[in-house]
Amino acid sequence: MAKVSLQQLSKSYGGRDLFKDFSLEIPAGTRLAVVGQNGAGKSTLLKLIAGVSEPDGGRVVLSTGARLGYVAQEMEAGDLGMTLLAWVMAALPSWKEFWVRYDAAVAAGDQATLAVLAAEQTSLEHALGYNPEYRAKTILTGLGFSDESQHAPISDLSGGWRERAKLARVLTAGADVLLLDEPTNHLDLEAVAWLESFLCAFAGVLVFVAHDRIFLDRVATHTLFTGEGKPVWRPGSFTQFLAWREEMDKQWERQAAAIDSKIKQVNAFADRFRYKATKARQAQSKLKSKDKLEKELSSLKSERPDVKGRTLNFTLPEPEKSDKTVAAAADLSYAYPDRAPIWPPLTFQLFRGQKVALVGHNGAGKTTLLKLVVGALKPASGRVLLGTGVKLGYFSQHQTEILNTDALVMAEMRRMAGPKATHLEVCSILGLFLLGEDYWERRVSELSGGEKSRLVLAGLFSARANFLVLDEPTNHLDLESREALVRALSEYAGTILMVAHDRYLLGEVAGEVWSVGEDGITVHDEGFAAYEAAQAEANACRLDAPEAPAAKVSRQDDKERKRRVAEQRNALYRDIKPKREAMEAMEAELEALLAKQGEVEATMADPETYAQKELFSTLSKEYGALSHAAEDLLARMAVLEEEIGDLEARRAALGEGA
């Protein structure tokens, strides 16, 4: 079983220690969430384990032969011309090449090679399953890739989809030690849920960084907090870690308060009696005990784990009230060039104070709908109007071009915030989005892409908008900032329409969930938790219920079902075919063995042969070897026959129709 051993690991940047003499054993079956503030060394730890970065001291040891899975930062130029499925499959050992070697060994009667190949086959099947192509397609589909996109070149994919492709390649290749840095970025809700299930079934060592609190809780078996002090390792989920952290902090406060109380008592006694002759010696003794108590308090402070993190308390500036109807759409539709409309004409209203989350599968048109509401896109038909007194604040991940890159951060923030924002508000909001005082005098052009996005978001919230339209607002925020933002949005008095894959944000802020899809908008007015429960129940019913009567199944659904069944049948056939071919080869080999055995037996039965002791002895040994080979071949044929029978039974269960 794979394991990872961190031995006296040290790493520093800019004179600051990220890790110093840090040791940790991570056994198989551990799913370790690495959490902490931005810059605390989370991604660095993954790079150290992956061997991408070298430690300043100590070492990382992986079990002998352990396969490492780590998402590469960049694709090679030659990768872009490959189809997605081919590129993902290129990370796998080739079944085709294996069977070529196997057939050659069978034809040559090379028993030694066949024994080696049998062990290799077992290993490959354990790691990759019987059909690696089917595995690759399953993973790609789980991560949201359509069948069409799987056969298209990677160059057709956007940046976000290329990140998904890199994740799919690593998961398909299989690993004993899997390292994932923000794997939920660029994934929609369905893909995140699928990834959770996949990782919870992973049997090796998983070390991952994520800012999705629900993902952390559902996947992690252990938590490692990185910060200014020594990393803190705890069993349990992130929420359990927070509870432990809070209890430890309370315990420290109680201990510190008790010591501090004793010090005050000593001071009071000494002040009262130090000049009285009868009490002077006792007072001096008390003062000596005070020194001891102060050392104890100092020691307690130094041993306190630095796991408190930042406390960000922030409330959005109070916006002015708008009309009751904030936005209204009538027969609204949109279609991209040469395509059918995304949804049927939509008619809806948003009222003051509503907080609505749009959900739906990738490509359902959630971001498109946001752009229509804010006027960034022109509808194909119908219209959408904003109410009187509505002050719109729109955040999209592609809005950094609105920034004046030559300006200083503070000056640009003041420009976006407007004259009503106070200096304290501006500073508080910049701090919330991790743009503290050391950023204020930097030029905007010096910021990273993520820092520019956070600056846009900070400016938006300081401008007192009463209608916030947000597209993935938590991207590029760490856990503390996300939770501060969630608190602020929960208390926000205005109206919100948002798209997000952060389920903690959706659960805490959204009062309603609008599911967007081919049928238009379906309103779930009991919030995200109720929506998620309804989705889980619907999925369970689809798995457990008998097939619906044909009359009640739409033509599209029936076509999709038949396509999936056909894919499964074809995949099973591809599994069965090489096994049948191997069985035919074994049968031919057995026939040849038995024929040869019959010839040797007939020769041995000849009295003249029996009279020649050396010849008879040689033939006896040959007969024994042939018998042993035939028995071994029959045993392997029995195993293969059972495997073929199992696959054929599974294929038959799918029915004959595709």
Side-chain angles (χ1 to χ4, degrees), residues 70-92:
Y70 180 67
V71 178
Q73 292 295 312
E74 301 293 339
M75 290 181 173
E76 300 291 335
D79 296 338
L80 301 181
M82 298 178 68
T83 65
L84 173 60
L85 181 60
W87 183 71
V88 169
M89 290 287 292
L92 290 166

Side-chain angles (χ1 to χ4, degrees), residues 519-657:
D519 298 327
I521 291 176
T522 302
V523 176
H524 304 268
D525 56 10
E526 295 183 3
F528 182 72
Y531 163 78
E532 198 172 33
Q535 290 295 103
E537 183 178 348
N539 291 336
C541 289
R542 282 196 290 271
L543 290 173
D544 298 337
E547 189 175 334
K552 294 185 179 181
V553 178
S554 72
R555 183 177 299 174
Q556 182 61 33
D557 287 345
D558 189 51
K559 182 179 178 182
E560 178 63 20
R561 182 190 65 79
K562 288 181 177 179
R563 184 190 67 77
R564 288 198 303 268
V565 169
E567 268 191 9
Q568 293 172 22
R569 284 175 54 79
N570 290 338
L572 288 170
Y573 176 73
R574 286 193 293 271
D575 280 343
I576 293 169
K577 186 173 182 292
K579 293 183 182 293
R580 283 179 175 165
E581 291 172 352
M583 178 64 81
E584 290 172 4
M586 286 182 175
E587 287 172 349
E589 184 183 357
L590 179 63
E591 188 175 341
L593 281 172
L594 294 176
K596 181 64 175 176
Q597 192 176 18
E599 293 174 5
V600 172
E601 188 176 15
T603 305
M604 289 173 65
D606 189 327
E608 291 185 4
T609 303
Y610 185 76
Q612 301 177 51
K613 290 185 179 181
E614 289 186 6
L615 176 58
F616 187 82
S617 176
T618 299
L619 291 171
S620 295
K621 290 179 181 177
E622 184 180 357
Y623 184 84
L626 289 168
S627 298
H628 180 76
E631 289 172 4
D632 179 63
L633 187 58
L634 282 168
R636 288 192 288 120
M637 288 173 68
V639 172
L640 187 58
E641 187 175 16
E642 185 177 342
E643 291 174 356
I644 292 173
D646 177 61
L647 291 170
E648 287 181 335
R650 287 162 58 191
R651 192 164 185 264
L654 292 172
E656 293 302 319

Side-chain angles (χ1 to χ4, degrees), residues 243-288:
W244 169 84
R245 182 174 77 174
E246 184 176 354
E247 179 54 38
M248 287 293 293
D249 207 55
K250 288 178 180 178
Q251 183 178 329
W252 184 92
E253 294 288 355
R254 287 194 296 269
Q255 289 179 286
I259 296 171
D260 191 57
S261 176
K262 289 180 182 178
I263 291 173
K264 288 177 180 178
Q265 290 174 13
V266 168
N267 284 336
F269 184 91
D271 289 343
R272 183 174 181 182
F273 296 114
R274 73 171 67 191
Y275 300 113
K276 288 190 177 182
T278 57
K279 296 283 187 178
R281 183 175 295 180
Q282 192 173 354
Q284 289 300 318
S285 177
K286 288 282 188 181
L287 287 173
K288 288 181 180 178

Side-chain angles (χ1 to χ4, degrees), residues 322-645:
S322 66
D323 279 355
K324 184 177 180 181
T325 300
V326 173
D331 296 324
L332 184 68
S333 71
Y334 186 82
Y336 288 99
D338 302 321
R339 295 186 185 180
I342 301 174
W343 358 256
L346 304 177
T347 297
F348 60 84
Q349 286 182 304
L350 265 174
F351 298 107
R352 185 177 65 237
Q354 272 187 297
K355 297 177 181 179
V356 175
L358 300 180
V359 300
H361 64 80
N362 196 72
K366 303 183 296 295
T367 294
T368 299
L369 183 54
L370 292 187
K371 289 180 177 179
L372 289 168
V373 170
V374 302
L377 287 177
K378 185 178 179 180
S381 65
R383 60 180 182 170
V384 58
L385 297 175
L386 300 184
T388 303
V390 170
K391 185 174 182 181
L392 176 69
Y394 174 50
F395 175 78
S396 120
Q397 298 177 70
H398 309 291
Q399 279 192 299
T400 55
E401 63 270 14
I402 72 170
L403 296 172
N404 178 2
T405 55
D406 292 330
L408 300 179
V409 168
M410 178 56 80
E412 186 64 1
M413 179 65 175
R414 286 190 171 281
R415 180 188 70 80
M416 292 187 290
K420 289 186 178 180
T422 68
H423 179 71
L424 180 60
E425 284 175 349
V426 168
C427 294
S428 297
I429 298 172
L430 282 170
L432 170 67
F433 291 101
L434 311 181
L435 299 170
E437 191 171 352
D438 56 333
Y439 281 90
W440 297 350
E441 298 304 315
R442 294 188 195 180
R443 296 207 175 274
V444 173
S445 58
E446 297 172 6
L447 301 181
S448 68
E451 288 164 349
K452 288 177 182 176
S453 292
R454 298 203 300 271
L455 179 58
V456 171
L457 198 55
L460 169 71
F461 287 169
S462 64
R464 298 178 185 269
N466 53 25
F467 179 29
L468 296 179
V469 179
L470 311 174
D471 192 359
E472 299 292 359
T474 57
N475 279 7
H476 310 297
L477 300 186
D478 66 6
L479 281 166
E480 287 84 0
S481 291
R482 286 186 181 212
E483 296 201 3
L485 176 60
V486 166
R487 288 194 300 272
L489 292 177
S490 297
E491 297 169 3
Y492 174 61
T495 306
I496 297 174
L497 181 65
M498 63 179 171
V499 171
H501 72 261
D502 187 319
R503 290 161 298 173
Y504 183 67
L505 168 68
L506 296 176
E508 294 295 315
V509 175
E512 294 184 15
V513 171
W514 291 5
S515 179
V516 182
E518 295 176 351
D519 298 327
I521 291 176
T522 302
V523 176
H524 304 268
D525 56 10
E526 295 183 3
F528 182 72
Y531 163 78
E532 198 172 33
Q535 290 295 103
E537 183 178 348
N539 291 336
C541 289
R542 282 196 290 271
L543 290 173
D544 298 337
E547 189 175 334
K552 294 185 179 181
V553 178
S554 72
R555 183 177 299 174
Q556 182 61 33
D557 287 345
D558 189 51
K559 182 179 178 182
E560 178 63 20
R561 182 190 65 79
K562 288 181 177 179
R563 184 190 67 77
R564 288 198 303 268
V565 169
E567 268 191 9
Q568 293 172 22
R569 284 175 54 79
N570 290 338
L572 288 170
Y573 176 73
R574 286 193 293 271
D575 280 343
I576 293 169
K577 186 173 182 292
K579 293 183 182 293
R580 283 179 175 165
E581 291 172 352
M583 178 64 81
E584 290 172 4
M586 286 182 175
E587 287 172 349
E589 184 183 357
L590 179 63
E591 188 175 341
L593 281 172
L594 294 176
K596 181 64 175 176
Q597 192 176 18
E599 293 174 5
V600 172
E601 188 176 15
T603 305
M604 289 173 65
D606 189 327
E608 291 185 4
T609 303
Y610 185 76
Q612 301 177 51
K613 290 185 179 181
E614 289 186 6
L615 176 58
F616 187 82
S617 176
T618 299
L619 291 171
S620 295
K621 290 179 181 177
E622 184 180 357
Y623 184 84
L626 289 168
S627 298
H628 180 76
E631 289 172 4
D632 179 63
L633 187 58
L634 282 168
R636 288 192 288 120
M637 288 173 68
V639 172
L640 187 58
E641 187 175 16
E642 185 177 342
E643 291 174 356
I644 292 173

